[in-house]
Amino acid sequence: MAITYLENGDVYDEYQMVHPEKGIFPFGCALVMNREQYEALTPEEIQKIKEDRYYSWYNQLMAASSIVADNSVIESDYVVIDESANTEVI
Amino acid sequence: MTTKYWRNAAGGAWATAGNWSLSSGGPANTTVPGAADDVIFDQNATYTVTFAGPLVVGLSISFQAGVVTFSHGTYNLQSRTWNISAGARLNHTFSSGYVLCGDGGSNAGTYNNNGTVVITATTTTTCFMQYGGTFNNNTGASFSITNTAVNGTQFYLLAAPTSGCDFNNAGTFTATNNSQTGAGVVFLSGNYNNTGTATWNYPAAAGTTGIQFSSAKNITALFGSSTFNMATNLNADAITFGSSPGSFTITLLDNLTITRRVSLVFNSLNLNGKTITCGQFTIGNSTGSKGITWNGGSIYATSSGSAFVNNTSAINAGTLTLAAGTGTGYIIFTNASAKTLSNTVLTWTYPCILGNSGGTLTVNKSTYGGLVAFSSGATFLIDNSNPISITNPGIVGDGTSIALQSTSASLTATISWVGSGNPAVNPAYTLTRIILFASGVYYYSFCTGFDLYSRYSNGAGGTTSSLTQTNSATCGYVPPPTYSVAAAVGNIDEGSNLTINATTTNVADGTTLYWTINHVTTSDADFSAVSGSFTITSNTGSFTVTPTTDFINEGPETFTVSIRTVSVSGTIVATTSSVTVNDTSTSLTIGFFGSFF
């Protein structure tokens, strides 16, 4: 994965991980932070942050996997912005 | 252009000329600010400004000190630039109306918050920053927005239907929506770049849709450290991508993790290698273009039941595009209980790997570019009223099984591997079963290792007797056996029995193995038998080798023992270390009993 820079100058360090023991559960992520902050970190610290994010997500994944979805198939409710309602000329 | 200062620390009406001055703390002016003026609030006090009608409040409006409450009533504000300095606070209280950033035309505006901005809405339809530009909630700044209307229908936050409004949050952002009856926050029509802390609170248990991305242009979404506090209610979306019709693309720059439902209604979602983790994922049925491009990204559906639902109907078939993009994408089900991937009307091809980490996954009306079962005990049941075709599945997982079922005898269910590399992930897992069954016509497959190659129809080849009772065929993967053999001791006296112990893995009980002596310095004459056989039970077996007693002083001799499959001349699968035969021979001494005369 590559390190790039966002328009505001922030570092965008993209990476992908799988569970190191299970070899599964792929996870794509990116560290986004101020460039000075990023460059002050050691490679080991950066790797630790990446792994922490992975495990944080993985733990949430495992915790969330007990929810029962409603079996009814429901169209998503959504909003079409009624532009005309708010186009009062001032 | 002039700069006008608010001079009434007790608060008052915007339209009162006496509340304004041409200098900070200066005398009253005779006119209120106009569209070409800059406006500054620098009174270090707490007060409220009221409005009597729609206003163009200036080229820029700045809050440099104090706590100012803008009571919008039913009116609207417009200014190209809003600036809130560190230490200053601006409260927007809405009963209706909206704040415009920019001039409502070709000039987009900018809202720069370095202090505190608090928005409270008490009405059914409220809009903040409808006409776009950029909202910067900078480092150290605080921005909160609350919809207190329990019966509210819509609440637009950063919606800009025509131009898009970008939101850059490097500070602290909190959105709370108490509506229980209608759509929630139509959040974003532009880029969402969260490098700060964002918290979304949706306490209502029913009917509330959370964040809606109503794209007005191609946008990116960087969720960063976003927290979603929501009731566990999968009847309403926590997040809707593409809540307004359009042909725009929403590209994820970061992952999204949420326990509730995520939907795609309009526009295209580019996963961009990132991960969406949600309770339920749905693809809406509304008329209008929509699509998902994986580009190596993943969708994790964590709930049981209808974990992934594709509602797209026949009439909207042409509007949905599912594309792999670059890289390998995934849809992965994680719940240990039964769940479904439901295609409610049509058969769809998902250009990604389908993963199931446990429990039974039932899939209908689908074809796949790849199929993978992750964890022990995971099961796929693909129930299809149309022909099923799965190519290049990577099957991983101890105890994994795939069942393909066709509901008509005239339909076929096929599965095929290409090459010898499957499964690519981890071939160490054992006992993968593939079950193919169809009513009346049985198709089953067999494995050579993991390389599933052929199928036979009933009566056209292969053994079908096992199908009679189950209408299914099981392809059992037998992992390769391993063998080891060792002598009980490293040396043995002539005439004694030497026990040789064999240990195996994945060798069936009752299997006969064979042993042979390998002479190092011994010869056939040194043993009562130089070959034989023994039986494996519970992956162990033993036999004895007996060096014969002789009367020759040969000194110590050595040999090894090999075990073989099939026969005594079969393949050697293991050999002992060297064993020494101790020379315990009694020397033959010829006595002289006579005399010489």
Side-chain angles (χ1 to χ4, degrees), chain A residues 12 14 26 28 57 65 67 69 73 75-77 79 83 86-88 90, chain B residues 98 131 162 183 209 243 253 255 263 274 277 285 300 304 311 334-335:
Chain A
Y12 184 80
E14 188 174 15
W57 166 80
S65 296
I67 296 172
V73 178
E75 167 68 308
S76 304
D77 51 355
V79 171
E83 192 173 344
N86 285 318
T87 52
E88 183 178 1
I90 59 177
Chain B
Y98 47 92
Y131 281 99
T162 57
T209 296
S243 60
L253 295 182
N255 301 310
S263 280
K274 302 302 180 294
T277 306
N285 197 31
Y300 283 80
S304 61
N311 286 322
T334 61
N335 201 291

PDB file of all heavy atoms in Angstrom, chain A residues 12 14 26 28 57 65 67 69 73 75-77 79 83 86-88 90, chain B residues 98 131 162 183 209 243 253 255 263 274 277 285 300 304 311 334-335:
ATOM      1  N   TYR A  12      -1.823  10.171   4.282  1.00  0.00           N
ATOM      2  CA  TYR A  12      -2.832   9.133   4.081  1.00  0.00           C
ATOM      3  C   TYR A  12      -2.080   7.825   3.860  1.00  0.00           C
ATOM      4  O   TYR A  12      -1.597   7.532   2.774  1.00  0.00           O
ATOM      5  CB  TYR A  12      -3.695   9.489   2.876  1.00  0.00           C
ATOM      6  CG  TYR A  12      -4.842   8.543   2.627  1.00  0.00           C
ATOM      7  CD1 TYR A  12      -6.007   8.652   3.375  1.00  0.00           C
ATOM      8  CD2 TYR A  12      -4.773   7.566   1.648  1.00  0.00           C
ATOM      9  CE1 TYR A  12      -7.069   7.799   3.149  1.00  0.00           C
ATOM     10  CE2 TYR A  12      -5.826   6.705   1.413  1.00  0.00           C
ATOM     11  CZ  TYR A  12      -6.972   6.834   2.160  1.00  0.00           C
ATOM     12  OH  TYR A  12      -8.029   5.980   1.946  1.00  0.00           O
ATOM     13  N   GLU A  14      -2.255   4.151   3.638  1.00  0.00           N
ATOM     14  CA  GLU A  14      -3.225   3.088   3.402  1.00  0.00           C
ATOM     15  C   GLU A  14      -2.581   1.725   3.632  1.00  0.00           C
ATOM     16  O   GLU A  14      -1.428   1.499   3.255  1.00  0.00           O
ATOM     17  CB  GLU A  14      -3.748   3.180   1.970  1.00  0.00           C
ATOM     18  CG  GLU A  14      -4.901   2.249   1.672  1.00  0.00           C
ATOM     19  CD  GLU A  14      -5.466   2.496   0.298  1.00  0.00           C
ATOM     20  OE1 GLU A  14      -4.798   3.170  -0.504  1.00  0.00           O
ATOM     21  OE2 GLU A  14      -6.579   2.007   0.019  1.00  0.00           O
ATOM     22  N   PRO A  26     -10.144 -10.034   6.107  1.00  0.00           N
ATOM     23  CA  PRO A  26      -9.396  -8.926   5.500  1.00  0.00           C
ATOM     24  C   PRO A  26      -9.965  -7.579   5.924  1.00  0.00           C
ATOM     25  O   PRO A  26     -11.165  -7.429   6.142  1.00  0.00           O
ATOM     26  CB  PRO A  26      -9.583  -9.164   4.002  1.00  0.00           C
ATOM     27  CG  PRO A  26     -10.847  -9.947   3.900  1.00  0.00           C
ATOM     28  CD  PRO A  26     -10.883 -10.822   5.120  1.00  0.00           C
ATOM     29  N   GLY A  28      -9.223  -3.373   5.170  1.00  0.00           N
ATOM     30  CA  GLY A  28      -8.493  -2.277   4.563  1.00  0.00           C
ATOM     31  C   GLY A  28      -8.666  -1.023   5.389  1.00  0.00           C
ATOM     32  O   GLY A  28      -9.743  -0.752   5.908  1.00  0.00           O
ATOM     33  N   TRP A  57     -11.259  -2.901  15.367  1.00  0.00           N
ATOM     34  CA  TRP A  57     -12.317  -3.270  14.423  1.00  0.00           C
ATOM     35  C   TRP A  57     -12.716  -4.736  14.585  1.00  0.00           C
ATOM     36  O   TRP A  57     -13.895  -5.068  14.611  1.00  0.00           O
ATOM     37  CB  TRP A  57     -11.843  -3.014  12.992  1.00  0.00           C
ATOM     38  CG  TRP A  57     -12.723  -3.677  11.983  1.00  0.00           C
ATOM     39  CD1 TRP A  57     -13.926  -3.246  11.518  1.00  0.00           C
ATOM     40  CD2 TRP A  57     -12.483  -4.938  11.339  1.00  0.00           C
ATOM     41  NE1 TRP A  57     -14.445  -4.149  10.625  1.00  0.00           N
ATOM     42  CE2 TRP A  57     -13.584  -5.196  10.503  1.00  0.00           C
ATOM     43  CE3 TRP A  57     -11.443  -5.859  11.397  1.00  0.00           C
ATOM     44  CZ2 TRP A  57     -13.671  -6.341   9.723  1.00  0.00           C
ATOM     45  CZ3 TRP A  57     -11.528  -7.002  10.623  1.00  0.00           C
ATOM     46  CH2 TRP A  57     -12.628  -7.233   9.793  1.00  0.00           C
ATOM     47  N   SER A  65     -21.602  -9.535  16.058  1.00  0.00           N
ATOM     48  CA  SER A  65     -22.103 -10.680  15.309  1.00  0.00           C
ATOM     49  C   SER A  65     -23.121 -11.497  16.088  1.00  0.00           C
ATOM     50  O   SER A  65     -23.210 -12.706  15.935  1.00  0.00           O
ATOM     51  CB  SER A  65     -20.926 -11.561  14.875  1.00  0.00           C
ATOM     52  OG  SER A  65     -20.105 -10.851  13.982  1.00  0.00           O
ATOM     53  N   ILE A  67     -26.325  -9.912  16.523  1.00  0.00           N
ATOM     54  CA  ILE A  67     -27.564  -9.183  16.269  1.00  0.00           C
ATOM     55  C   ILE A  67     -28.406  -9.952  15.266  1.00  0.00           C
ATOM     56  O   ILE A  67     -27.895 -10.497  14.292  1.00  0.00           O
ATOM     57  CB  ILE A  67     -27.249  -7.777  15.737  1.00  0.00           C
ATOM     58  CG1 ILE A  67     -26.496  -6.984  16.811  1.00  0.00           C
ATOM     59  CG2 ILE A  67     -28.522  -7.055  15.314  1.00  0.00           C
ATOM     60  CD1 ILE A  67     -25.972  -5.672  16.322  1.00  0.00           C
ATOM     61  N   ALA A  69     -31.148  -9.714  12.410  1.00  0.00           N
ATOM     62  CA  ALA A  69     -31.762  -8.759  11.496  1.00  0.00           C
ATOM     63  C   ALA A  69     -33.236  -9.082  11.346  1.00  0.00           C
ATOM     64  O   ALA A  69     -33.653 -10.230  11.438  1.00  0.00           O
ATOM     65  CB  ALA A  69     -31.077  -8.823  10.141  1.00  0.00           C
ATOM     66  N   VAL A  73     -38.145  -7.721   4.300  1.00  0.00           N
ATOM     67  CA  VAL A  73     -37.340  -6.988   3.333  1.00  0.00           C
ATOM     68  C   VAL A  73     -37.956  -5.615   3.160  1.00  0.00           C
ATOM     69  O   VAL A  73     -39.073  -5.470   2.704  1.00  0.00           O
ATOM     70  CB  VAL A  73     -37.284  -7.728   1.993  1.00  0.00           C
ATOM     71  CG1 VAL A  73     -36.491  -6.922   0.977  1.00  0.00           C
ATOM     72  CG2 VAL A  73     -36.672  -9.090   2.201  1.00  0.00           C
ATOM     73  N   GLU A  75     -37.635  -1.698   1.861  1.00  0.00           N
ATOM     74  CA  GLU A  75     -36.920  -0.692   1.085  1.00  0.00           C
ATOM     75  C   GLU A  75     -36.408   0.367   2.036  1.00  0.00           C
ATOM     76  O   GLU A  75     -37.080   0.784   2.974  1.00  0.00           O
ATOM     77  CB  GLU A  75     -37.862  -0.074   0.056  1.00  0.00           C
ATOM     78  CG  GLU A  75     -37.357   1.188  -0.598  1.00  0.00           C
ATOM     79  CD  GLU A  75     -36.160   0.924  -1.516  1.00  0.00           C
ATOM     80  OE1 GLU A  75     -35.181   0.294  -1.075  1.00  0.00           O
ATOM     81  OE2 GLU A  75     -36.195   1.350  -2.655  1.00  0.00           O
ATOM     82  N   SER A  76     -35.214   0.805   1.794  1.00  0.00           N
ATOM     83  CA  SER A  76     -34.641   1.842   2.631  1.00  0.00           C
ATOM     84  C   SER A  76     -35.459   3.118   2.497  1.00  0.00           C
ATOM     85  O   SER A  76     -35.851   3.505   1.407  1.00  0.00           O
ATOM     86  CB  SER A  76     -33.212   2.122   2.191  1.00  0.00           C
ATOM     87  OG  SER A  76     -32.460   0.951   2.207  1.00  0.00           O
ATOM     88  N   ASP A  77     -35.742   3.734   3.616  1.00  0.00           N
ATOM     89  CA  ASP A  77     -36.361   5.039   3.512  1.00  0.00           C
ATOM     90  C   ASP A  77     -35.269   6.052   3.208  1.00  0.00           C
ATOM     91  O   ASP A  77     -34.155   5.957   3.666  1.00  0.00           O
ATOM     92  CB  ASP A  77     -37.101   5.395   4.801  1.00  0.00           C
ATOM     93  CG  ASP A  77     -36.236   5.206   6.033  1.00  0.00           C
ATOM     94  OD1 ASP A  77     -35.112   4.705   5.878  1.00  0.00           O
ATOM     95  OD2 ASP A  77     -36.693   5.560   7.119  1.00  0.00           O
ATOM     96  N   VAL A  79     -34.419  10.208   1.506  1.00  0.00           N
ATOM     97  CA  VAL A  79     -34.901  11.556   1.304  1.00  0.00           C
ATOM     98  C   VAL A  79     -34.428  12.061  -0.044  1.00  0.00           C
ATOM     99  O   VAL A  79     -33.258  11.956  -0.369  1.00  0.00           O
ATOM    100  CB  VAL A  79     -34.369  12.495   2.395  1.00  0.00           C
ATOM    101  CG1 VAL A  79     -34.694  13.946   2.057  1.00  0.00           C
ATOM    102  CG2 VAL A  79     -34.952  12.120   3.734  1.00  0.00           C
ATOM    103  N   GLU A  83     -35.565  20.677  -3.134  1.00  0.00           N
ATOM    104  CA  GLU A  83     -34.803  21.908  -3.275  1.00  0.00           C
ATOM    105  C   GLU A  83     -35.719  23.125  -3.360  1.00  0.00           C
ATOM    106  O   GLU A  83     -35.419  24.183  -2.834  1.00  0.00           O
ATOM    107  CB  GLU A  83     -33.932  21.825  -4.529  1.00  0.00           C
ATOM    108  CG  GLU A  83     -32.896  22.904  -4.615  1.00  0.00           C
ATOM    109  CD  GLU A  83     -31.961  22.655  -5.782  1.00  0.00           C
ATOM    110  OE1 GLU A  83     -31.944  21.526  -6.296  1.00  0.00           O
ATOM    111  OE2 GLU A  83     -31.262  23.582  -6.165  1.00  0.00           O
ATOM    112  N   ASN A  86     -36.730  25.227  -0.289  1.00  0.00           N
ATOM    113  CA  ASN A  86     -35.772  26.053   0.425  1.00  0.00           C
ATOM    114  C   ASN A  86     -35.014  27.000  -0.507  1.00  0.00           C
ATOM    115  O   ASN A  86     -33.874  27.333  -0.267  1.00  0.00           O
ATOM    116  CB  ASN A  86     -34.773  25.174   1.167  1.00  0.00           C
ATOM    117  CG  ASN A  86     -35.394  24.562   2.399  1.00  0.00           C
ATOM    118  OD1 ASN A  86     -36.120  25.220   3.120  1.00  0.00           O
ATOM    119  ND2 ASN A  86     -35.140  23.291   2.600  1.00  0.00           N
ATOM    120  N   THR A  87     -35.644  27.368  -1.552  1.00  0.00           N
ATOM    121  CA  THR A  87     -34.954  28.235  -2.500  1.00  0.00           C
ATOM    122  C   THR A  87     -35.533  29.641  -2.482  1.00  0.00           C
ATOM    123  O   THR A  87     -35.603  30.323  -3.478  1.00  0.00           O
ATOM    124  CB  THR A  87     -35.043  27.679  -3.922  1.00  0.00           C
ATOM    125  OG1 THR A  87     -36.414  27.424  -4.219  1.00  0.00           O
ATOM    126  CG2 THR A  87     -34.231  26.416  -4.059  1.00  0.00           C
ATOM    127  N   GLU A  88     -35.942  30.052  -1.345  1.00  0.00           N
ATOM    128  CA  GLU A  88     -36.460  31.401  -1.192  1.00  0.00           C
ATOM    129  C   GLU A  88     -35.365  32.408  -1.546  1.00  0.00           C
ATOM    130  O   GLU A  88     -34.252  32.357  -1.025  1.00  0.00           O
ATOM    131  CB  GLU A  88     -36.912  31.614   0.246  1.00  0.00           C
ATOM    132  CG  GLU A  88     -37.544  32.963   0.496  1.00  0.00           C
ATOM    133  CD  GLU A  88     -38.000  33.051   1.940  1.00  0.00           C
ATOM    134  OE1 GLU A  88     -37.789  32.088   2.689  1.00  0.00           O
ATOM    135  OE2 GLU A  88     -38.570  34.086   2.300  1.00  0.00           O
ATOM    136  N   ILE A  90     -33.495  35.733  -1.431  1.00  0.00           N
ATOM    137  CA  ILE A  90     -33.403  36.793  -0.432  1.00  0.00           C
ATOM    138  C   ILE A  90     -32.457  37.879  -0.895  1.00  0.00           C
ATOM    139  O   ILE A  90     -31.712  37.687  -1.839  1.00  0.00           O
ATOM    140  CB  ILE A  90     -32.939  36.248   0.928  1.00  0.00           C
ATOM    141  CG1 ILE A  90     -31.560  35.582   0.784  1.00  0.00           C
ATOM    142  CG2 ILE A  90     -33.952  35.277   1.482  1.00  0.00           C
ATOM    143  CD1 ILE A  90     -31.006  35.093   2.079  1.00  0.00           C
TER     144      ILE A  90
ATOM    145  N   TYR B  98     -33.006  28.263   7.253  1.00  0.00           N
ATOM    146  CA  TYR B  98     -31.712  27.679   6.974  1.00  0.00           C
ATOM    147  C   TYR B  98     -30.654  28.760   6.907  1.00  0.00           C
ATOM    148  O   TYR B  98     -30.931  29.943   6.794  1.00  0.00           O
ATOM    149  CB  TYR B  98     -31.736  26.896   5.664  1.00  0.00           C
ATOM    150  CG  TYR B  98     -32.372  27.629   4.515  1.00  0.00           C
ATOM    151  CD1 TYR B  98     -31.601  28.404   3.649  1.00  0.00           C
ATOM    152  CD2 TYR B  98     -33.749  27.548   4.289  1.00  0.00           C
ATOM    153  CE1 TYR B  98     -32.176  29.076   2.595  1.00  0.00           C
ATOM    154  CE2 TYR B  98     -34.334  28.211   3.237  1.00  0.00           C
ATOM    155  CZ  TYR B  98     -33.552  28.976   2.385  1.00  0.00           C
ATOM    156  OH  TYR B  98     -34.123  29.643   1.346  1.00  0.00           O
ATOM    157  N   TYR B 131     -26.751  25.683   0.717  1.00  0.00           N
ATOM    158  CA  TYR B 131     -26.189  25.996  -0.586  1.00  0.00           C
ATOM    159  C   TYR B 131     -24.687  25.887  -0.670  1.00  0.00           C
ATOM    160  O   TYR B 131     -24.041  26.572  -1.442  1.00  0.00           O
ATOM    161  CB  TYR B 131     -26.710  27.347  -1.068  1.00  0.00           C
ATOM    162  CG  TYR B 131     -28.092  27.146  -1.610  1.00  0.00           C
ATOM    163  CD1 TYR B 131     -29.195  27.430  -0.853  1.00  0.00           C
ATOM    164  CD2 TYR B 131     -28.267  26.570  -2.856  1.00  0.00           C
ATOM    165  CE1 TYR B 131     -30.461  27.182  -1.317  1.00  0.00           C
ATOM    166  CE2 TYR B 131     -29.533  26.300  -3.330  1.00  0.00           C
ATOM    167  CZ  TYR B 131     -30.634  26.616  -2.559  1.00  0.00           C
ATOM    168  OH  TYR B 131     -31.875  26.353  -3.027  1.00  0.00           O
ATOM    169  N   THR B 162     -27.426  21.241  -5.185  1.00  0.00           N
ATOM    170  CA  THR B 162     -26.906  21.588  -6.501  1.00  0.00           C
ATOM    171  C   THR B 162     -25.396  21.709  -6.539  1.00  0.00           C
ATOM    172  O   THR B 162     -24.782  21.441  -7.569  1.00  0.00           O
ATOM    173  CB  THR B 162     -27.510  22.924  -6.980  1.00  0.00           C
ATOM    174  OG1 THR B 162     -27.224  23.937  -6.014  1.00  0.00           O
ATOM    175  CG2 THR B 162     -29.014  22.794  -7.152  1.00  0.00           C
ATOM    176  N   ALA B 183     -37.110  10.814   8.069  1.00  0.00           N
ATOM    177  CA  ALA B 183     -35.698  10.777   7.735  1.00  0.00           C
ATOM    178  C   ALA B 183     -34.915  11.622   8.723  1.00  0.00           C
ATOM    179  O   ALA B 183     -35.409  12.585   9.289  1.00  0.00           O
ATOM    180  CB  ALA B 183     -35.491  11.304   6.328  1.00  0.00           C
ATOM    181  N   THR B 209     -33.816   7.323  10.349  1.00  0.00           N
ATOM    182  CA  THR B 209     -32.655   7.101   9.511  1.00  0.00           C
ATOM    183  C   THR B 209     -31.559   8.033   9.976  1.00  0.00           C
ATOM    184  O   THR B 209     -31.806   9.194  10.292  1.00  0.00           O
ATOM    185  CB  THR B 209     -32.993   7.392   8.041  1.00  0.00           C
ATOM    186  OG1 THR B 209     -33.982   6.464   7.623  1.00  0.00           O
ATOM    187  CG2 THR B 209     -31.765   7.228   7.172  1.00  0.00           C
ATOM    188  N   SER B 243     -28.773   9.000  -1.062  1.00  0.00           N
ATOM    189  CA  SER B 243     -30.175   9.125  -0.711  1.00  0.00           C
ATOM    190  C   SER B 243     -30.960   9.976  -1.699  1.00  0.00           C
ATOM    191  O   SER B 243     -32.164  10.114  -1.567  1.00  0.00           O
ATOM    192  CB  SER B 243     -30.316   9.717   0.699  1.00  0.00           C
ATOM    193  OG  SER B 243     -29.727  10.992   0.762  1.00  0.00           O
ATOM    194  N   LEU B 253     -12.764   6.607   1.826  1.00  0.00           N
ATOM    195  CA  LEU B 253     -11.341   6.785   2.103  1.00  0.00           C
ATOM    196  C   LEU B 253     -10.954   6.116   3.415  1.00  0.00           C
ATOM    197  O   LEU B 253      -9.798   6.129   3.804  1.00  0.00           O
ATOM    198  CB  LEU B 253     -10.988   8.272   2.175  1.00  0.00           C
ATOM    199  CG  LEU B 253     -11.138   9.069   0.875  1.00  0.00           C
ATOM    200  CD1 LEU B 253     -10.712  10.512   1.087  1.00  0.00           C
ATOM    201  CD2 LEU B 253     -10.337   8.441  -0.256  1.00  0.00           C
ATOM    202  N   ASN B 255     -12.661   3.213   6.699  1.00  0.00           N
ATOM    203  CA  ASN B 255     -13.643   2.189   7.014  1.00  0.00           C
ATOM    204  C   ASN B 255     -14.849   2.772   7.733  1.00  0.00           C
ATOM    205  O   ASN B 255     -14.775   3.826   8.349  1.00  0.00           O
ATOM    206  CB  ASN B 255     -13.010   1.110   7.888  1.00  0.00           C
ATOM    207  CG  ASN B 255     -11.840   0.479   7.202  1.00  0.00           C
ATOM    208  OD1 ASN B 255     -11.951   0.061   6.053  1.00  0.00           O
ATOM    209  ND2 ASN B 255     -10.713   0.428   7.880  1.00  0.00           N
ATOM    210  N   SER B 263     -27.402   1.168   3.745  1.00  0.00           N
ATOM    211  CA  SER B 263     -28.097   0.974   2.482  1.00  0.00           C
ATOM    212  C   SER B 263     -27.469   1.766   1.360  1.00  0.00           C
ATOM    213  O   SER B 263     -26.888   2.831   1.582  1.00  0.00           O
ATOM    214  CB  SER B 263     -29.570   1.400   2.598  1.00  0.00           C
ATOM    215  OG  SER B 263     -30.328   0.416   3.216  1.00  0.00           O
ATOM    216  N   LYS B 274     -11.663  -0.383   1.114  1.00  0.00           N
ATOM    217  CA  LYS B 274     -11.996  -0.192   2.525  1.00  0.00           C
ATOM    218  C   LYS B 274     -13.092  -1.163   2.967  1.00  0.00           C
ATOM    219  O   LYS B 274     -13.640  -1.904   2.168  1.00  0.00           O
ATOM    220  CB  LYS B 274     -12.424   1.258   2.771  1.00  0.00           C
ATOM    221  CG  LYS B 274     -11.355   2.249   2.379  1.00  0.00           C
ATOM    222  CD  LYS B 274     -10.063   1.997   3.139  1.00  0.00           C
ATOM    223  CE  LYS B 274      -8.970   2.963   2.779  1.00  0.00           C
ATOM    224  NZ  LYS B 274      -8.505   2.834   1.391  1.00  0.00           N
ATOM    225  N   THR B 277     -18.462  -2.425   7.876  1.00  0.00           N
ATOM    226  CA  THR B 277     -18.934  -3.437   8.813  1.00  0.00           C
ATOM    227  C   THR B 277     -20.272  -2.962   9.351  1.00  0.00           C
ATOM    228  O   THR B 277     -20.359  -1.893   9.952  1.00  0.00           O
ATOM    229  CB  THR B 277     -17.936  -3.620   9.970  1.00  0.00           C
ATOM    230  OG1 THR B 277     -16.645  -3.903   9.427  1.00  0.00           O
ATOM    231  CG2 THR B 277     -18.370  -4.753  10.881  1.00  0.00           C
ATOM    232  N   ASN B 285     -34.517  -0.463  -3.868  1.00  0.00           N
ATOM    233  CA  ASN B 285     -35.294  -0.848  -5.034  1.00  0.00           C
ATOM    234  C   ASN B 285     -35.806   0.355  -5.813  1.00  0.00           C
ATOM    235  O   ASN B 285     -36.616   0.214  -6.711  1.00  0.00           O
ATOM    236  CB  ASN B 285     -36.479  -1.706  -4.573  1.00  0.00           C
ATOM    237  CG  ASN B 285     -37.090  -2.478  -5.708  1.00  0.00           C
ATOM    238  OD1 ASN B 285     -36.376  -2.854  -6.637  1.00  0.00           O
ATOM    239  ND2 ASN B 285     -38.379  -2.711  -5.640  1.00  0.00           N
ATOM    240  N   TYR B 300     -18.793  -6.440   5.512  1.00  0.00           N
ATOM    241  CA  TYR B 300     -19.051  -7.434   6.549  1.00  0.00           C
ATOM    242  C   TYR B 300     -20.479  -7.242   7.043  1.00  0.00           C
ATOM    243  O   TYR B 300     -20.852  -6.146   7.466  1.00  0.00           O
ATOM    244  CB  TYR B 300     -18.098  -7.265   7.726  1.00  0.00           C
ATOM    245  CG  TYR B 300     -16.703  -7.790   7.493  1.00  0.00           C
ATOM    246  CD1 TYR B 300     -15.767  -7.065   6.786  1.00  0.00           C
ATOM    247  CD2 TYR B 300     -16.330  -9.030   8.000  1.00  0.00           C
ATOM    248  CE1 TYR B 300     -14.480  -7.541   6.578  1.00  0.00           C
ATOM    249  CE2 TYR B 300     -15.052  -9.524   7.801  1.00  0.00           C
ATOM    250  CZ  TYR B 300     -14.134  -8.777   7.090  1.00  0.00           C
ATOM    251  OH  TYR B 300     -12.871  -9.257   6.892  1.00  0.00           O
ATOM    252  N   SER B 304     -27.607 -11.978  12.083  1.00  0.00           N
ATOM    253  CA  SER B 304     -28.223 -13.188  11.552  1.00  0.00           C
ATOM    254  C   SER B 304     -29.480 -12.759  10.803  1.00  0.00           C
ATOM    255  O   SER B 304     -29.781 -11.574  10.689  1.00  0.00           O
ATOM    256  CB  SER B 304     -28.558 -14.152  12.687  1.00  0.00           C
ATOM    257  OG  SER B 304     -29.481 -13.549  13.575  1.00  0.00           O
ATOM    258  N   ASN B 311     -32.717  -5.708  -3.014  1.00  0.00           N
ATOM    259  CA  ASN B 311     -34.129  -5.548  -3.352  1.00  0.00           C
ATOM    260  C   ASN B 311     -34.384  -5.248  -4.815  1.00  0.00           C
ATOM    261  O   ASN B 311     -35.540  -5.147  -5.227  1.00  0.00           O
ATOM    262  CB  ASN B 311     -34.726  -4.384  -2.552  1.00  0.00           C
ATOM    263  CG  ASN B 311     -34.935  -4.735  -1.099  1.00  0.00           C
ATOM    264  OD1 ASN B 311     -35.308  -5.848  -0.793  1.00  0.00           O
ATOM    265  ND2 ASN B 311     -34.672  -3.789  -0.228  1.00  0.00           N
ATOM    266  N   THR B 334     -20.635 -12.953   9.329  1.00  0.00           N
ATOM    267  CA  THR B 334     -19.879 -13.329  10.521  1.00  0.00           C
ATOM    268  C   THR B 334     -20.725 -13.942  11.624  1.00  0.00           C
ATOM    269  O   THR B 334     -20.178 -14.455  12.593  1.00  0.00           O
ATOM    270  CB  THR B 334     -19.156 -12.101  11.112  1.00  0.00           C
ATOM    271  OG1 THR B 334     -20.129 -11.127  11.494  1.00  0.00           O
ATOM    272  CG2 THR B 334     -18.189 -11.501  10.108  1.00  0.00           C
ATOM    273  N   ASN B 335     -22.059 -13.873  11.492  1.00  0.00           N
ATOM    274  CA  ASN B 335     -22.886 -14.340  12.602  1.00  0.00           C
ATOM    275  C   ASN B 335     -22.865 -15.865  12.692  1.00  0.00           C
ATOM    276  O   ASN B 335     -22.910 -16.553  11.678  1.00  0.00           O
ATOM    277  CB  ASN B 335     -24.316 -13.846  12.428  1.00  0.00           C
ATOM    278  CG  ASN B 335     -25.070 -13.845  13.735  1.00  0.00           C
ATOM    279  OD1 ASN B 335     -25.375 -14.905  14.267  1.00  0.00           O
ATOM    280  ND2 ASN B 335     -25.345 -12.668  14.266  1.00  0.00           N
TER     281      ASN B 335
END
